Amino acid sequence: MIFNIHQTIQINMIKIESIANSSVFQIGSAGVIKPYSTLANTGGFTEPAPEIEADVIPLTSFVPFTPPSS
């Protein structure tokens, strides 16, 4: 089966908030999306990060949700 797709795309502005290793950004049609991934040491690190201690208490605090009275 053969598909012929003709399209015109005009993008005036596009804003991408975040790109992760598994992100797919596509404009238009594609028969095959080939995976591509890179890993970069942009911080210049030379050794693994130190292990965290087991008794560390997270700084997250939870505030109970109280729905507004109607």
Side-chain angles (χ1 to χ4, degrees), residues 37-59:
S37 174
T38 59
L39 182 62
N41 183 8
T42 57
F45 298 102
T46 58
E47 59 187 43
E51 294 290 327
I52 61 170
E53 298 176 17
D55 60 346
V56 172
I57 300 172
L59 298 176

Side-chain angles (χ1 to χ4, degrees), residues 19-30:
I19 294 290
N21 285 347
S22 61
S23 296
V24 174
F25 176 72
Q26 177 179 332
I27 297 174
S29 300

